[in-house]
């Protein structure tokens, strides 16, 4: 147990650093609240997994997964895919917004080709 204290401190420290980075302001109030709640839940789950790896193994076996590490991997994949989908959706919305802004600018400031003045 004492030989694992270093890795536990490092992992929990990494979780806290990521939490501070991800909690910086940005987006609407609702989006920020959802992001904050999700982050706190993921942070708590990560710290719990570091502190009580045996319980994670027990939880994994109770849901039909062989090891706790496999369960954590599956959970990570779900979070990663969800994040990727959210990023794609956000990128599409930004592209649409940029297109709309470019059209508005083009209509307000038309430039005639050379020789057509």
């Amino acid at each position: 147990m004492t030989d694992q204290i270093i890795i536990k401190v490092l992992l929990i420290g990494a979780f806290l650093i990521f939490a501070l980075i991800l909690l910086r302001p940005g987006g609407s109030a609702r989006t920020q609240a959802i992001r904050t709640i999700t982050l706190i839940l993921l942070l708590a789950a990560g710290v719990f997994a570091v502190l009580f790896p045996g319980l994670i193994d027990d939880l994994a076996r109770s849901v039909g997964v062989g090891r706790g590490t496999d369960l954590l991997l599956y959970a990570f994949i779900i979070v990663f895919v969800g994040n990727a989908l959210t990023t794609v959706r956000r990128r599409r919305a930004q592209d649409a917004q940029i297109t709309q802004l470019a059209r508005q600018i083009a209509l307000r400031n038309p430039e005639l080709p050379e020789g057509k003045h």
Side-chain angles (χ1 to χ4, degrees):
M1 178 77 171
T2 57
D3 58 334
Q4 294 177 345
I5 192 72
I6 294 172
I7 190 65
K8 287 182 178 185
V9 168
L10 290 174
L11 289 170
I12 292 171
F15 284 133
L16 292 174
I17 289 170
F18 288 139
L20 292 174
I21 291 170
L22 293 173
L23 282 174
R24 68 179 190 265
S28 69
R30 181 175 187 228
T31 302
Q32 183 66 23
I34 291 170
R35 189 170 76 172
T36 300
I37 291 168
T38 303
L39 178 64
I40 289 170
L41 291 174
L42 288 174
L43 176 65
V47 170
F48 184 81
V50 169
L51 293 175
F52 307 106
L55 292 176
I56 299 300
D57 281 336
D58 294 341
L59 176 64
R61 278 189 231 93
S62 72
V63 296
V65 178
R67 300 179 307 169
T69 53
D70 294 337
L71 181 64
L72 292 176
L73 177 64
Y74 300 151
F76 172 75
I77 290 170
I78 291 168
V79 169
F80 177 77
V81 169
N83 185 45
L85 293 173
T86 302
T87 300
V88 167
R89 186 176 48 181
R90 188 179 321 129
R91 177 64 146 273
R92 285 183 185 159
Q94 287 175 339
D95 288 347
Q97 185 180 21
I98 289 169
T99 300
Q100 185 64 28
L101 289 171
R103 286 179 183 156
Q104 288 176 2
I105 290 171
L107 290 173
R108 288 183 185 163
N109 304 318
E111 292 185 19
L112 297 174
E114 293 292 324
K116 300 279 185 175
H117 298 278

